[in-house]
Amino acid sequence: MNGDSPEPLKFVEGGAEFLDRIEPLWKQQTALHAKKSPHFAEHFTTANFSDRKRVFEQKARTGSLLVVLAMVGPDEIAGYTVCSVCEELSDLGTCKVGEIDSMFILESYRRLGIGRKFLVRSMEWFEQNRAEKVIALIAVGNEEVLEFYELAGLLPRAILLQRKDSMH
């Protein structure tokens, strides 16, 4: 390979042990959401990774967690996705819910098919883990990703309204 060729992407999978590696990209994602959010920007600007990591670790303990990294070379991460499968109470008892908890791709690596690979792998993993329902929460202001998630059959179902003074 000559020096001008971009390094090939490699996808690596793991669990909670990969969480610290996604922190810099997660912070970029929350900054992007803060910029796009018309109502809850301060929620994103005050979010901290250690709280989010605790949620992911809890999901790993009580269910299953998948972290997929798109690697460029040995240490640069172009993007990541975090997915979980957990039991959830529903009207009909318990249900295994697969969730795309977080996904982010650095701007310079977008439109190269990384997100599609993440989606395909997530859906396979949900099936392997017998998820009965699959969800992804999309922040208001980031609706442009709805078409992307539709590729995996994920469609808008409800709009959650929240009072601004009740941030928890």
Side-chain angles (χ1 to χ4, degrees), residues 3 13 17 37 57 59 65 74 77 95 100 107 110 117 122 136 160:
E13 296 184 8
E17 73 278 5
S37 176
E57 289 171 335
K59 287 183 172 201
L65 191 77
I77 300 172
C95 167
I100 299 173
E107 196 167 351
R110 292 184 192 151
K117 284 192 163 100
S122 299
L160 174 70

Side-chain angles (χ1 to χ4, degrees), residues 22 25-26 29 32-33 52 56 68 79-83 100-105 110 114-120 122 136-137 142 145 148-149:
I22 70 167
L25 273 71
W26 182 88
Q29 178 191 46
L32 182 70
H33 282 139
R52 190 67 173 130
F56 291 147
V68 184
Y80 75 87
T81 190
V82 178
C83 302
I100 299 173
D101 294 274
S102 187
M103 184 187 297
F104 184 75
I105 299 161
R110 292 184 192 151
I114 296 169
R116 283 177 190 251
K117 284 192 163 100
F118 284 160
L119 261 187
V120 167
S122 299
L137 298 177
N142 200 29
V145 301
F148 166 75
Y149 282 104

Side-chain angles (χ1 to χ4, degrees), residues 134-147:
V134 175
I135 63 170
L137 298 177
I138 306 304
V140 170
N142 200 29
E143 290 84 358
E144 74 230 25
V145 301
L146 291 175
E147 199 174 310

Side-chain angles (χ1 to χ4, degrees), residues 37-57:
S37 176
H39 308 295
F40 289 93
E42 67 279 3
H43 169 75
F44 295 108
T45 56
T46 60
N48 72 65
F49 185 73
S50 61
D51 289 344
R52 190 67 173 130
K53 181 182 172 188
R54 268 194 295 280
V55 171
F56 291 147
E57 289 171 335

